[in-house]
Each structure stands twice: as structure tokens, then as C-alpha cells.
Amino acid sequence: MDFFVNGEAATVSADIRTSLLDLLRNHLGLTGTKKGCDQGACGACTVLVDGERINSCLALAAQYQGRNIITVEGLAANGNLHPLQEAFVEHDGFQCGYCTPGQLCSAIGMLDEAQRNIPSVVTRDLTTASITLDETELRERMSGNLCRCGAYNGIIEAISEVLIEQPAESKKRRASA
């Protein structure tokens, strides 16, 4: 099977029943993506496929051949953390770190969904031209990612700072620090 993961092509010989999560971890050595519940309930295995977030534990790897798969290892560029990764550190958006890779990928996918005007269950105006990502929207959209340590406030603060509240300003603040 041929895959495109974190900007690199990979050919893998795996059973047709292999989940995308197991392919990433066991065949490609990308252990950042975590196996939490293995039932799609915790979000620890969230990755991006063509920019959309999915639970990789529920996905058959064969379905994602030739598509652009991004794991937490693919978020950093040129040895520099993604701004959202930096913000998780600054805002204590993690404790043990187990859920962090899924939280990061989910947040990036969530922003794309909102920019494409995909409503959530709490979206107030379904006719609006753009969805406002306030704290209620963020919490609802991130609710599929569990944090057993309870770092939710730091996670929401990090996401708000980097992805919603003037990303250019927060990048400037980090660069001058």
C-alpha cells in the first residue's frame, strides 16, 4: 500500500484489515498518534487526512492510500514547533501529554471546519456567512478529544490565542520573547 504521510511517500506491506492508527504506529514508527480507547471515543488517535480530522483507530488504512495524512510529527516545520504546539506549552495545555497529539490535530482540523462554515450543535445562526469561534463553539468542537488530566482551560486558551485571536499578533509576541 502506498501512503503520503507528513509530506513523505511511504510504501507499506500490511494486512488489508490494518487500521490507520496501527499502520502509523506499528509500520511507520510514528508513535505520536496515541491509541487510547481504540473505539473512537477519546480522540487520542486524531490525525488530519486531506485537512480533515479523523479518528485513525476507526479508519482502515487501505481507504487512505494516496491521500495526504498529517500526524503530530508533521506539524513542526524546519525544526520549529507549530505555533499551536508552542501555545500548548505556554498555556499548560497538557499535563501528561498523552492526549496532546490528538488535541493538536483536532484543533487544526476544527479551525478548517469553521472556516468552511460547517456548523456545530451550538452554532446559533446557521445562515451566517462566517462562524464565530467563541469559547462555547471551541469547547463543543473539541469535545471529541478527552483529557484525563483536565487541562481543558489551557487547551482552549492555546487554541484561542493561536488559531482564533489575531494569529499574526501572537506570532509577533512569541518572536519578540
Side-chain angles (χ1 to χ4, degrees):
M1 295 187 269
D2 296 319
F3 296 92
F4 194 68
V5 182
N6 297 330
E8 295 184 21
T11 300
V12 177
S13 178
D15 186 292
I16 195 81
R17 298 167 292 182
T18 302
S19 72
L20 182 57
L21 172 61
D22 287 339
L23 180 111
L24 294 169
R25 291 182 59 78
N26 301 335
H27 295 272
L28 296 177
L30 297 170
T31 57
T33 304
K34 303 300 183 211
K35 184 179 274 196
C37 67
D38 213 17
Q39 298 176 349
C42 73
C45 68
T46 305
V47 297
L48 300 168
V49 176
D50 295 334
E52 292 188 27
R53 56 187 172 162
I54 68 162
N55 291 330
S56 62
C57 72
L58 297 178
L60 288 175
Q63 295 175 287
Y64 296 93
Q65 291 184 77
R67 295 179 66 190
N68 187 28
I69 301 165
I70 302 290
T71 68
V72 69
E73 291 92 345
L75 297 180
N78 302 320
N80 297 313
L81 292 177
H82 185 282
L84 187 57
Q85 290 172 307
E86 291 177 359
F88 265 62
V89 172
E90 290 174 19
H91 291 279
D92 288 330
F94 65 92
Q95 296 297 313
C96 73
Y98 196 83
C99 72
T100 305
Q103 297 275 2
L104 290 163
C105 288
S106 189
I108 291 167
M110 176 266 312
L111 179 64
D112 182 62
E113 291 167 8
Q115 289 174 339
R116 290 185 292 130
N117 243 16
I118 297 173
S120 77
V121 71
V122 298
T123 303
R124 290 188 177 99
D125 183 1
L126 299 178
T127 63
T128 186
S130 65
I131 294 172
T132 301
L133 289 175
D134 58 15
E135 186 173 338
T136 303
E137 277 283 348
L138 288 179
R139 288 187 182 275
E140 171 58 31
R141 289 172 183 269
M142 293 297 294
S143 66
N145 291 82
L146 302 179
C147 174
R148 287 168 178 83
C149 300
Y152 296 113
N153 290 336
I155 292 167
I156 295 301
E157 288 171 8
I159 294 168
S160 294
E161 178 184 310
V162 175
L163 299 181
I164 288 108
E165 296 172 1
Q166 306 151 357
E169 290 302 315
S170 55
K171 286 179 189 172
K172 285 179 191 173
R173 262 197 315 269
R174 262 190 224 93
S176 65

